[in-house]
CSV table of all heavy atoms in Angstrom, one decimal:
chain,number,residue,atom,x,y,z
A,25,ILE,N,32.7,76.3,63.7
A,25,ILE,CA,33.7,76.2,62.6
A,25,ILE,C,33.1,77.0,61.4
A,25,ILE,O,32.0,76.7,61.0
A,25,ILE,CB,33.9,74.7,62.2
A,25,ILE,CG1,34.4,73.9,63.4
A,25,ILE,CG2,35.0,74.7,61.1
A,25,ILE,CD1,34.5,72.4,63.2
A,26,THR,N,33.9,77.9,60.9
A,26,THR,CA,33.5,78.7,59.8
A,26,THR,C,34.2,78.1,58.5
A,26,THR,O,35.4,77.9,58.6
A,26,THR,CB,33.8,80.2,59.9
A,26,THR,OG1,33.1,80.7,61.0
A,26,THR,CG2,33.4,80.9,58.7
A,27,VAL,N,33.4,77.9,57.5
A,27,VAL,CA,34.0,77.6,56.2
A,27,VAL,C,33.5,78.6,55.2
A,27,VAL,O,32.3,78.8,55.0
A,27,VAL,CB,33.6,76.1,55.7
A,27,VAL,CG1,34.2,75.8,54.3
A,27,VAL,CG2,34.1,75.1,56.7
A,28,THR,N,34.4,79.3,54.5
A,28,THR,CA,34.0,80.2,53.5
A,28,THR,C,34.1,79.5,52.1
A,28,THR,O,34.8,78.6,51.9
A,28,THR,CB,35.0,81.5,53.5
A,28,THR,OG1,36.2,81.1,52.9
A,28,THR,CG2,35.1,82.0,54.9
A,30,ALA,N,31.7,77.8,50.9
A,30,ALA,CA,31.3,76.5,51.4
A,30,ALA,C,30.6,75.7,50.3
A,30,ALA,O,30.5,74.4,50.4
A,30,ALA,CB,30.4,76.6,52.6
A,31,ALA,N,30.1,76.3,49.3
A,31,ALA,CA,29.4,75.5,48.2
A,31,ALA,C,30.4,75.2,47.1
A,31,ALA,O,30.0,74.5,46.1
A,31,ALA,CB,28.2,76.3,47.7
A,39,LEU,N,33.2,69.6,54.0
A,39,LEU,CA,32.1,69.7,55.0
A,39,LEU,C,31.7,68.4,55.6
A,39,LEU,O,31.5,68.3,56.8
A,39,LEU,CB,30.9,70.4,54.4
A,39,LEU,CG,31.0,71.9,54.2
A,39,LEU,CD1,29.7,72.4,53.5
A,39,LEU,CD2,31.4,72.7,55.4
A,55,VAL,N,29.1,73.4,65.4
A,55,VAL,CA,28.2,74.2,64.6
A,55,VAL,C,28.9,74.6,63.4
A,55,VAL,O,30.0,75.2,63.4
A,55,VAL,CB,27.8,75.4,65.5
A,55,VAL,CG1,26.9,76.4,64.6
A,55,VAL,CG2,27.0,75.0,66.7
A,56,LEU,N,28.3,74.4,62.2
A,56,LEU,CA,28.9,74.8,60.9
A,56,LEU,C,28.4,76.1,60.5
A,56,LEU,O,27.1,76.3,60.4
A,56,LEU,CB,28.6,73.7,59.9
A,56,LEU,CG,29.1,72.3,60.1
A,56,LEU,CD1,28.6,71.4,59.0
A,56,LEU,CD2,30.6,72.3,60.2
A,57,ARG,N,29.3,77.1,60.4
A,57,ARG,CA,28.9,78.4,59.9
A,57,ARG,C,29.4,78.6,58.5
A,57,ARG,O,30.6,78.6,58.3
A,57,ARG,CB,29.4,79.5,60.9
A,57,ARG,CG,29.1,79.2,62.3
A,57,ARG,CD,29.5,80.4,63.2
A,57,ARG,NE,28.6,81.5,63.1
A,57,ARG,CZ,27.5,81.6,63.9
A,57,ARG,NH1,27.2,80.6,64.8
A,57,ARG,NH2,26.6,82.6,63.8
A,58,LEU,N,28.5,78.6,57.5
A,58,LEU,CA,28.9,78.5,56.1
A,58,LEU,C,28.7,79.8,55.4
A,58,LEU,O,27.5,80.3,55.3
A,58,LEU,CB,28.1,77.3,55.5
A,58,LEU,CG,28.2,76.0,56.2
A,58,LEU,CD1,27.4,74.9,55.5
A,58,LEU,CD2,29.6,75.5,56.5
A,59,LEU,N,29.7,80.3,54.8
A,59,LEU,CA,29.7,81.6,54.1
A,59,LEU,C,29.7,81.4,52.6
A,59,LEU,O,30.6,80.6,52.1
A,59,LEU,CB,30.9,82.5,54.6
A,59,LEU,CG,31.0,83.9,53.9
A,59,LEU,CD1,29.8,84.8,54.4
A,59,LEU,CD2,32.3,84.5,54.2
A,60,GLU,N,28.9,82.1,51.9
A,60,GLU,CA,28.9,82.1,50.5
A,60,GLU,C,28.5,83.4,49.9
A,60,GLU,O,28.0,84.3,50.7
A,60,GLU,CB,27.9,81.0,49.9
A,60,GLU,CG,28.6,79.7,49.4
A,60,GLU,CD,29.6,79.9,48.3
A,60,GLU,OE1,29.6,81.0,47.7
A,60,GLU,OE2,30.3,79.0,48.0
A,61,ILE,N,28.9,83.7,48.7
A,61,ILE,CA,28.4,84.9,48.0
A,61,ILE,C,27.0,84.6,47.5
A,61,ILE,O,26.5,83.4,47.4
A,61,ILE,CB,29.3,85.3,46.9
A,61,ILE,CG1,29.4,84.2,45.8
A,61,ILE,CG2,30.6,85.7,47.4
A,61,ILE,CD1,30.2,84.5,44.6
A,62,GLU,N,26.2,85.6,47.3
A,62,GLU,CA,24.8,85.5,46.9
A,62,GLU,C,24.5,84.4,45.8
A,62,GLU,O,23.6,83.6,45.9
A,62,GLU,CB,24.1,86.8,46.6
A,62,GLU,CG,22.6,86.8,46.5
A,62,GLU,CD,22.0,86.3,47.8
A,62,GLU,OE1,22.3,86.9,48.9
A,62,GLU,OE2,21.1,85.4,47.8
A,64,GLY,N,26.0,81.8,45.1
A,64,GLY,CA,26.3,80.5,45.5
A,64,GLY,C,25.3,80.0,46.6
A,64,GLY,O,25.4,78.8,47.0
A,65,MET,N,24.4,80.8,47.0
A,65,MET,CA,23.5,80.4,48.1
A,65,MET,C,22.6,79.2,47.8
A,65,MET,O,22.3,78.4,48.6
A,65,MET,CB,22.7,81.6,48.7
A,65,MET,CG,23.6,82.6,49.4
A,65,MET,SD,24.5,81.8,50.9
A,65,MET,CE,23.1,81.7,52.0
A,66,LYS,N,22.1,79.2,46.5
A,66,LYS,CA,21.2,78.1,46.1
A,66,LYS,C,21.9,76.8,46.2
A,66,LYS,O,21.4,75.8,46.7
A,66,LYS,CB,20.7,78.4,44.7
A,66,LYS,CG,19.6,77.3,44.2
A,66,LYS,CD,18.3,77.4,45.0
A,66,LYS,CE,17.3,76.5,44.4
A,66,LYS,NZ,16.0,76.5,45.2
A,67,ALA,N,23.2,76.8,45.6
A,67,ALA,CA,24.0,75.5,45.7
A,67,ALA,C,24.3,75.1,47.1
A,67,ALA,O,24.2,73.9,47.5
A,67,ALA,CB,25.3,75.7,44.9
A,68,LEU,N,24.5,76.1,48.0
A,68,LEU,CA,24.8,75.8,49.4
A,68,LEU,C,23.6,75.2,50.0
A,68,LEU,O,23.7,74.3,50.9
A,68,LEU,CB,25.2,77.1,50.1
A,68,LEU,CG,25.6,77.0,51.5
A,68,LEU,CD1,26.8,76.0,51.7
A,68,LEU,CD2,26.0,78.3,52.1
A,69,GLU,N,22.4,75.6,49.7
A,69,GLU,CA,21.2,75.0,50.2
A,69,GLU,C,21.2,73.5,49.9
A,69,GLU,O,20.8,72.7,50.8
A,69,GLU,CB,20.0,75.7,49.6
A,69,GLU,CG,18.6,75.2,50.1
A,69,GLU,CD,17.5,75.9,49.3
A,69,GLU,OE1,17.6,77.0,48.9
A,69,GLU,OE2,16.4,75.2,49.2
A,70,GLY,N,21.6,73.2,48.7
A,70,GLY,CA,21.6,71.7,48.4
A,70,GLY,C,22.7,71.0,49.2
A,70,GLY,O,22.5,69.8,49.6
A,71,VAL,N,23.9,71.6,49.4
A,71,VAL,CA,24.9,71.0,50.2
A,71,VAL,C,24.4,70.7,51.6
A,71,VAL,O,24.6,69.7,52.2
A,71,VAL,CB,26.2,71.9,50.2
A,71,VAL,CG1,27.2,71.3,51.2
A,71,VAL,CG2,26.8,72.0,48.8
A,72,VAL,N,23.7,71.7,52.2
A,72,VAL,CA,23.2,71.6,53.5
A,72,VAL,C,22.2,70.4,53.6
A,72,VAL,O,22.1,69.7,54.6
A,72,VAL,CB,22.6,72.9,54.0
A,72,VAL,CG1,21.8,72.7,55.3
A,72,VAL,CG2,23.7,73.9,54.2
A,73,MET,N,21.3,70.3,52.5
A,73,MET,CA,20.4,69.2,52.5
A,73,MET,C,21.1,67.9,52.6
A,73,MET,O,20.7,67.0,53.3
A,73,MET,CB,19.6,69.2,51.2
A,73,MET,CG,18.6,70.4,51.1
A,73,MET,SD,17.7,70.2,49.5
A,73,MET,CE,16.8,71.8,49.5
A,75,VAL,N,24.2,67.3,53.9
A,75,VAL,CA,24.7,67.2,55.2
A,75,VAL,C,23.6,66.7,56.2
A,75,VAL,O,23.8,65.8,57.0
A,75,VAL,CB,25.4,68.5,55.7
A,75,VAL,CG1,25.8,68.3,57.2
A,75,VAL,CG2,26.6,68.8,54.9
A,76,ASP,N,22.4,67.3,56.1
A,76,ASP,CA,21.3,66.9,56.9
A,76,ASP,C,21.0,65.4,56.7
A,76,ASP,O,20.7,64.7,57.6
A,76,ASP,CB,20.1,67.8,56.6
A,76,ASP,CG,20.1,69.2,57.2
A,76,ASP,OD1,20.9,69.4,58.1
A,76,ASP,OD2,19.4,70.0,56.7
A,85,ASP,N,24.3,72.3,64.7
A,85,ASP,CA,23.5,73.3,63.9
A,85,ASP,C,24.3,73.7,62.7
A,85,ASP,O,25.5,73.5,62.6
A,85,ASP,CB,23.3,74.6,64.8
A,85,ASP,CG,22.2,75.5,64.2
A,85,ASP,OD1,21.5,75.1,63.3
A,85,ASP,OD2,22.1,76.7,64.7
A,86,ILE,N,23.6,74.2,61.7
A,86,ILE,CA,24.2,74.7,60.4
A,86,ILE,C,23.6,76.1,60.1
A,86,ILE,O,22.4,76.2,60.1
A,86,ILE,CB,24.0,73.7,59.2
A,86,ILE,CG1,24.4,72.3,59.5
A,86,ILE,CG2,24.7,74.3,58.0
A,86,ILE,CD1,24.1,71.3,58.4
A,87,ILE,N,24.5,77.0,60.0
A,87,ILE,CA,24.1,78.4,59.7
A,87,ILE,C,24.7,78.8,58.3
A,87,ILE,O,25.9,78.7,58.1
A,87,ILE,CB,24.6,79.4,60.8
A,87,ILE,CG1,23.9,79.0,62.1
A,87,ILE,CG2,24.4,80.8,60.4
A,87,ILE,CD1,24.8,79.3,63.3
A,88,THR,N,23.9,79.2,57.4
A,88,THR,CA,24.3,79.6,56.1
A,88,THR,C,24.1,81.1,56.0
A,88,THR,O,23.1,81.7,56.4
A,88,THR,CB,23.6,78.9,55.0
A,88,THR,OG1,22.2,79.2,55.0
A,88,THR,CG2,23.8,77.4,55.1
A,89,THR,N,25.0,81.8,55.4
A,89,THR,CA,24.9,83.3,55.3
A,89,THR,C,25.8,83.9,54.3
A,89,THR,O,26.8,83.3,53.8
A,89,THR,CB,25.3,83.9,56.7
A,89,THR,OG1,25.1,85.3,56.7
A,89,THR,CG2,26.8,83.6,57.1
A,90,THR,N,25.5,85.1,53.9
A,90,THR,CA,26.4,85.9,53.1
A,90,THR,C,27.0,87.0,53.9
A,90,THR,O,27.8,87.9,53.4
A,90,THR,CB,25.6,86.6,51.9
A,90,THR,OG1,24.6,87.4,52.4
A,90,THR,CG2,25.0,85.5,51.0
A,91,ASP,N,26.7,87.1,55.2
A,91,ASP,CA,27.1,88.2,56.1
A,91,ASP,C,28.3,87.8,56.9
A,91,ASP,O,28.3,86.8,57.6
A,91,ASP,CB,25.9,88.5,57.0
A,91,ASP,CG,26.2,89.7,57.9
A,91,ASP,OD1,27.2,89.7,58.7
A,91,ASP,OD2,25.4,90.7,57.8
A,92,LEU,N,29.4,88.5,56.7
A,92,LEU,CA,30.7,88.2,57.4
A,92,LEU,C,30.5,88.2,58.9
A,92,LEU,O,31.1,87.3,59.6
A,92,LEU,CB,31.8,89.2,57.0
A,92,LEU,CG,32.2,89.2,55.6
A,92,LEU,CD1,33.3,90.3,55.4
A,92,LEU,CD2,32.8,87.9,55.2
A,93,ASP,N,29.8,89.1,59.5
A,93,ASP,CA,29.6,89.1,60.9
A,93,ASP,C,28.9,87.9,61.4
A,93,ASP,O,29.3,87.3,62.5
A,93,ASP,CB,28.8,90.4,61.4
A,93,ASP,CG,29.6,91.7,61.1
A,93,ASP,OD1,30.9,91.6,61.1
A,93,ASP,OD2,29.0,92.7,60.9
A,94,VAL,N,27.9,87.4,60.7
A,94,VAL,CA,27.2,86.2,61.1
A,94,VAL,C,28.2,85.0,60.9
A,94,VAL,O,28.2,84.1,61.8
A,94,VAL,CB,26.0,86.0,60.3
A,94,VAL,CG1,25.3,84.7,60.6
A,94,VAL,CG2,25.0,87.1,60.6
A,95,ALA,N,28.9,85.0,59.8
A,95,ALA,CA,29.7,83.8,59.5
A,95,ALA,C,30.8,83.6,60.6
A,95,ALA,O,31.1,82.4,60.9
A,95,ALA,CB,30.4,84.0,58.1
A,96,PHE,N,31.3,84.6,61.1
A,96,PHE,CA,32.5,84.5,62.1
A,96,PHE,C,32.0,84.6,63.5
A,96,PHE,O,32.9,84.6,64.4
A,96,PHE,CB,33.6,85.5,61.7
A,96,PHE,CG,34.2,85.2,60.4
A,96,PHE,CD1,34.0,86.0,59.3
A,96,PHE,CD2,35.0,84.0,60.2
A,96,PHE,CE1,34.6,85.8,58.1
A,96,PHE,CE2,35.5,83.8,58.9
A,96,PHE,CZ,35.4,84.6,57.9
Side-chain angles (χ1 to χ4, degrees):
I25 302 168
T26 300
V27 178
T28 73
L39 290 178
V55 172
L56 300 177
R57 310 189 76 90
L58 309 181
L59 179 70
E60 258 299 348
I61 58 174
E62 192 59 51
M65 289 301 286
K66 185 68 174 176
L68 184 57
E69 180 183 333
V71 175
V72 171
M73 288 180 190
V75 175
D76 285 342
D85 195 9
I86 304 175
I87 295 149
T88 62
T89 185
T90 60
D91 186 299
L92 293 178
D93 292 331
V94 174
F96 295 110

